[in-house]
Structure formats: C-alpha cells, structure tokens
Amino acid sequence: MKLHLLRYFVVLAEELHFGRAAQRLAITQPPLSSALKALEDELGVRLLERNSKQVTLTPAGAAYLAEARLVLERVAAARDAAQAVAAGMRGRLELGMTGSMVYREVPRIVETFSARRPDIEVHLREMSSAEQLEALRHGQMHAGFLNARAFPAALASLPLADDRLVCCLPEAHPLAGEKSLDLKRLADENFVMFARDVAPANYDNVIAVFNRAGIHPRTRHAARQWLTVVAMVSAGLGVALVPASLAQAGMRGARLVPVRGLVPLTVGALAWRKEDAGLAVLASFVAVAREVLAAPP
C-alpha cells in the first residue's frame, strides 16, 4: 500500500469534504477521488459514504482512520530518527580509553559533548592503547583516547594537552620530601616500568628520558597500567617515572616529585579512522574535543 493513499484518506476523513481536503493536499479533486477508490478496492471495504449533501465515515472507515494515523506517526518518527542520526543529533558513540585518561581531559570532553548532544549515548570502554588501535583498524569503535605519538596512515588524531613525567617514590624514600630532584640521583634505584607491549609510546618516552640523562635503569618490574605502576611503587617495589596527571588519583603510600629539566611530553591523543570522518556523530565529538582542548582548563 502506498503511503500517499493513507495521507489522502486521513485528510479527507478529517475534512469530510473533498474540496477542502484537495485544497489541503494541494491537488485537484479527481486524483483524490481516484485515491480513495483505489484504497477502498485494495481493502475490500467502504471507508466513506458520499452523497450530494455530505461525506461521512463508515464504521470501517472510523476504525481504519485510527490505525492509519498511527502508521503515519510511526513513519514520521522513523524519518525524524534517521535525519537526527544523519545530522549527528542522535545515536550511539563507542569510545576507547586507557585507564589513566580519566585523570586528563577525557571526562571534561565527554561531559561537554553529552551536555550538548543529550540524545547521543556515549559508551566508554577501558582498553590498552594496543587494543584500541586494533579495534579502530577493524571499525569496532568510533574513536579512542590512547597513549601514542605516531599513528597508522589510516588514522587521524588530535593530541591532548601536554603532560609531564614526574618521579614516583615510596613516601618513606629519603628523596620523597624533596620539592624537585635531579634524575641522576635515582641512577642506582630499582625501577618499575610500563610494559612496552601495552603502549610502546609510554615505555619509549620513559627510556628516552633516561637516555638523555645518561642513566641505564635497573628494571625490576613491569605493569600494564599507570595506576598499577604507582601501586607497586607505594608497596616499596621500586621507583618510577609517571605522568604528573596521576596526582589526581590520590593514591596513598607514594609521592610524586617533579624532575628538574624535563620538558612536557605529549603522549596522549584522540584517534579515529579517516574514512569515518564524515560520520556526523563522530565529527560533532571531534569538534567538541578540539574546543575543550583549546580552552583553559
């Protein structure tokens, strides 16, 4: 059944006058009469009674009118939903996030976006950087907040704000009370390192800092998350270099001490597939992320 037949019938049933109904529909009366006949022939029932004085609904027509209105309402709702999703006003956004990103700009970006696009469901999944890159490669999520400096050619990226590496010491360590320290004073310590297979950028950044300081760190333990690194340090298993943003975690038993001479390191980024850049929901999210990152914290 063609939808225009339903529309013609609903307007005619509301007006109960062929002239006024035709005027509302911006057509002439003959096509309206033909449409009504085609609909009645298809249904096998009479929907309207018509004489020289008036047009009235039959009982079957009254019952059909209620259902026809529901059908047209659902069609309109489906149209509106499709247009809203296409315009980036409704839908679902799948995002990845490394655990430490909760202490950086990610919550602010997500909160700002959700306030502006309340009809878009944002789903965050904690994943390692390597897992996110694999998920992006297979199109299993829209974008990810991960620790990386370089990306495959198929991905676009937006760097997060600069973060700085600081020294993480057990609170009972002799240097834990220092306002800042020289990295060379830690040359003989045992270090807890970030596992390279999880996020090579994190590991490589730390090693680069040691190399510039002329230190060959004694690595005793490796962890897969920054918070685990801090927990191991607080347990007295060694010292570590960690992002300063982890201070927000407020973990007991460890002190974060600035290291003199270290420049800010940008190892966090929002990444997405270039071929998905045209998706309205993703484009809206990236635009909000750019705005939040450009604004003062």
Side-chain angles (χ1 to χ4, degrees), residues 20-21 24 35 62 80 141 160 180 187 207 230:
R20 291 194 299 270
R24 273 181 59 184
D80 293 344
M141 64 184 191
L160 302 183
S180 65
I207 291 298
V230 176

Side-chain angles (χ1 to χ4, degrees), residues 263-287:
V263 297
L265 299 172
T266 302
V267 293
L270 171 64
W272 63 94
R273 296 199 306 171
K274 291 178 180 177
E275 65 181 271
D276 292 339
L279 296 176
V281 65
L282 176 59
S284 296
F285 185 78
V286 172

Side-chain angles (χ1 to χ4, degrees), residues 24 34 41 68 93 101 105 110 112-113 143 153 178 181 208 235 250 258 289:
R24 273 181 59 184
S34 298
D41 289 345
L93 192 65
M101 288 293 177
E105 303 89 350
V110 172
T112 302
F113 179 78
E178 299 283 331
L181 54 83

Side-chain angles (χ1 to χ4, degrees), residues 34-76:
S34 298
L36 176 63
K37 184 178 185 306
L39 183 59
E40 289 179 328
D41 289 345
E42 184 171 347
L43 295 174
V45 298
R46 193 163 185 82
L47 300 174
L48 291 169
E49 294 291 352
R50 178 185 183 186
N51 57 41
S52 59
K53 295 183 178 180
Q54 63 180 0
V55 178
T56 57
L57 280 169
T58 66
Y64 192 68
L65 174 61
E67 298 299 327
R69 282 173 171 159
L70 290 177
V71 170
L72 293 177
E73 287 173 3
R74 292 301 302 162
V75 169

Side-chain angles (χ1 to χ4, degrees), residues 8-177:
Y8 286 6
F9 167 70
V10 169
V11 172
L12 186 54
E14 291 172 349
E15 295 293 341
L16 294 177
H17 189 283
F18 276 82
R20 291 194 299 270
Q23 188 174 9
R24 273 181 59 184
L25 293 167
I27 61 174
T28 59
Q29 289 191 45
L32 181 57
S33 298
S34 298
L36 176 63
K37 184 178 185 306
L39 183 59
E40 289 179 328
D41 289 345
E42 184 171 347
L43 295 174
V45 298
R46 193 163 185 82
L47 300 174
L48 291 169
E49 294 291 352
R50 178 185 183 186
N51 57 41
S52 59
K53 295 183 178 180
Q54 63 180 0
V55 178
T56 57
L57 280 169
T58 66
Y64 192 68
L65 174 61
E67 298 299 327
R69 282 173 171 159
L70 290 177
V71 170
L72 293 177
E73 287 173 3
R74 292 301 302 162
V75 169
R79 177 202 62 213
D80 293 344
Q83 291 175 346
V85 170
M89 301 300 293
R90 187 184 301 177
R92 180 184 176 105
L93 192 65
E94 296 285 350
L95 302 173
M97 178 191 74
T98 58
S100 62
M101 288 293 177
V102 73
Y103 302 110
R104 299 187 68 175
E105 303 89 350
V106 174
R108 195 153 49 100
I109 292 172
V110 172
E111 288 173 8
T112 302
F113 179 78
S114 295
R116 295 184 186 178
R117 298 285 189 270
D119 291 330
I120 296 177
E121 296 181 11
V122 178
H123 292 257
L124 276 170
R125 285 187 294 159
E126 184 180 353
M127 307 166 68
S128 71
S129 295
E131 290 170 337
Q132 290 187 63
L133 288 173
E134 188 68 9
L136 285 171
R137 187 169 72 88
H138 292 288
Q140 295 170 343
M141 64 184 191
H142 292 100
F145 292 96
L146 58 155
N147 300 108
R149 188 182 301 279
F151 294 92
L155 297 183
S157 64
L158 176 66
L160 302 183
D162 290 341
D163 204 352
R164 186 185 299 272
L165 288 177
V166 296
C167 186
C168 183
L169 303 169
E171 62 181 4
H173 193 282
L175 299 176

